[in-house]
Amino acid sequence: MVCLTELQQKFGSQIVESHFRDNRRIDVPASTLLPLLTSLKTDYGFSMLVDLTAVDWLEYDGATDRFSVIYLLLNMDSGERLAVRVPVNLPEAVLPSVYGLWRGADWMEREVWDMFGISFSGHPDLRRILMPEEFDAFPLRKDYPLKGRGERHNFPVITRSGS
Amino acid sequence: MTDGRVPAGVSDGLLVWPLSMPLTPVDTLETASAEREYVWTLNFGPQHPATHTTLRLVLTLDGEKVLNAVPYIGYLHSGFEKLGEHLDFNQYVTIVDRMNYLSPLANEIAWHHTVEKLLGIELTPRCKYLRTILAELMRMHDHLLNLGTTALDLGGFTAFLYFFQQREHIYDIVELASGQRFHTSYTRVGGVLFDVNTDWINRVRKFIREFPKVYDEVDRLLTKNRIFVDRTKGIGYLSREEVINFSAVGPVARASGVERDLRRDEPYLAYADLDFDVICSRGGDCYARYLVRMQELLESLKIIEQAVENIPGGPVNIGVESDMVLPSKPSVYRSIEGLIQHFEVIMPNRGYDVPREQIYAATESPNGELGFYIVGNAETRAYRARTRPPSLIHFSMFPHMIRNHQLSDVVAVLGSINIIAAELDR
Amino acid sequence: MAVGLPENIFITKLDAAANWARSNSLWPMPFATACCGIELMATAASRHDLARFGAEVMRFSPRQCDLLIVAGRVVMKMLPVLQRIWLQMPEPKWCISMGACACSGGVFDTYAVVQGIDRFIPVDMYVPGCPPRPEQLLQAVMDMQAKVRRTGTVMGREFAIRDMPAGPAPFDSDERYRIEDTRLVQLGGFSAAATSAGRGATQG
Ligand code: SF4
């Protein structure tokens, strides 16, 4: 088990812990993210990054930040799980990339960039992954409409006699 | 197909060709091949028989040897997660169905597993067993198609036909339970759509009796088949450390010696009561993945057999006093309380209490750890419904696995990691 | 046979002869993108056996096929590929749109999914269902054969007269209102991606 006080001693007291059902989460500021994750991996044995995702808080009552990015970690030996949540705000939504720690973060970070427009500094190849390169919105942001802005029908029509 | 030119016939002045939309040039490859002129680039997909779905690879080849592979995905990105923010917990089940379409019910079970954890629901014993049986049937469903098509791609048509016949029996079983053979939309918050009857149980028993015969036949066809073994052994090797570093869980990881199976390590549904083994292998290559899947078929059969024989009686849904499940039809038609309750569940502006919290929960889907990260916002739909897709993780390992193999190994490796495009792209 | 033709010689119209040959040797090109593709596989596999209807020669190269079966949803990134495959197929060619998604977008009314391929390529036959049962697809193939027999001509005159798109206009009124709406919202508020709305709207 990761001890919270130990982490607070190392990385400052802004680290907050919370529980819900069997999920254990810690909230950290963006500045200590990379050292914290490095230490979680090397000292505490969180060898697997299960998932990396983001949430847009634009329409959530009482939210203070625009986004949070969530790192779900797993200790392969003990089976312990831990979620690390870090707030991100516009205009410069940038976080350090964890590609160096877990190779699995590669596509997950690209997906977060593609869907939310949060970029990761130090990622070797941060391109769009799911949407076409020319697409210039971030579809999972709450201010993007479900049915899009007409991009889906921006194509030429082929008729039977013309083909 | 890589140049984005306007095809003949669509250049009539009115229409603008959309900026060569999907086919962006691969600049990383251009630099590499400029140095070595004999290196050539092959575009594999997005429409290719061996991908079975839609994914695209750009392979850099030196003769037959693959120097590099750059996957391009998103050819089936349909906005699942955005839809999850607009549909309520029960409606979204129709969408998660379509995520891994080789095993639709396994996705439903994973989705409602997470929702029920968010809501703090404890299922009834009968429902737990029923979902366990269905989850295992789906594991077989998935493995059968995967093994069949892998054999098909490697030149063995017969195994595909034999296994597809068994899939049809599973289709019949789920159709009998839910009314739909493919996208069943069978689970609901707190239970399932309808209970099953003894007829169904007998059908499952019959399947359990008959399956081993076909299994043996295919086993004899493939497992020691010289051609099949030659084309899979030593191909696409992954070590244990790499698998962990790449975040893979599931048959692919187990074939590389990672002993992790959520059914055993974080038991959910009825798995804690049932006796089964976690299949692992140290091989790490395509053949090991094939063997793991073959063995898992038998383990699943074992689980189903135990669960079917021990399925408890009683209600299949949680009580109506929870306000989350529909009351029985007779009570809706004959009593005012039932009618009100029905409306409370159905109407979008009513609903039940949902905590304003975030939760991650996962199940062991046929393909690996399928988890959902849900943010609840005091309404009966998710504020954010993130899927942790095993296929995305497996496919991101692909360039690493294929490097320095032959071109013909591409299909073997692709088959062995079982990429489902809808789950990959969502 | 009063005319005195030798045995084994028939007199027929060229069209009828061509239709007979064409309809009994449809070579499908399975453009299987999603779940419907698995049902397409099931149709060709053991129990349903598409071979009984002379349409089992699935070829994955468009140059060898004359029946395009679009099974599954087609999204923004995939549509140009589909169009190109359609253009690459030699004449005469037909298209079956299999499943709710290919016909109309189905349950996926989202930003990425094309709401019916008939907006962009010509379609001859629609198969409803999500997914359609294999029996439905078999029926569609048989109907397709009947249609070829009924309407086909050697020179493809029945194709030449179809100069209108098969489906609704890509930007139907609904969509255009919505695009205008989002653009107005954008002009008033945040403008992060106003350009993308502009690009979509000018097309309509
Ligand atoms: S129509 Fe249904 S089964 Fe077919 S591709 Fe669409 S969602 Fe899948």
Side-chain angles (χ1 to χ4, degrees), chain A residues 136 146 149 152-154 156 158, chain C residues 83 110 120 170 175 196 203:
Chain A
D136 48 11
L146 170 67
R149 299 192 178 120
R152 63 183 178 184
H153 288 162
N154 186 10
I158 300 179
Chain C
Q83 289 187 327
T110 61
F120 300 105
E175 182 114 326
S196 83
Q203 272 286 304

Side-chain angles (χ1 to χ4, degrees), chain C residues 110-164:
Chain C
T110 61
Y111 53 90
V113 181
V114 174
Q115 300 296 299
I117 56 161
D118 53 0
R119 290 168 196 246
F120 300 105
I121 67 166
V123 172
D124 293 271
M125 187 86 55
Y126 300 85
V127 191
C130 182
R133 294 182 65 97
E135 293 89 335
Q136 275 175 281
L137 187 62
L138 291 178
Q139 181 67 42
V141 170
M142 288 194 284
D143 287 352
M144 196 71 236
Q145 292 171 335
K147 183 176 176 180
V148 173
R149 252 177 262 132
R150 209 173 52 240
T151 64
T153 52
V154 167
M155 304 305 294
R157 284 195 305 280
E158 82 274 26
F159 301 136
I161 54 171
R162 286 166 56 189
D163 53 0
M164 297 292 283

Side-chain angles (χ1 to χ4, degrees), chain B residues 98 183, chain C residues 34-36 72-73 99-101 108 129-131:
Chain B
R98 284 143 181 88
H183 290 313
Chain C
C35 358
C36 280
R73 53 191 172 273
C101 286
F108 295 98
C130 182

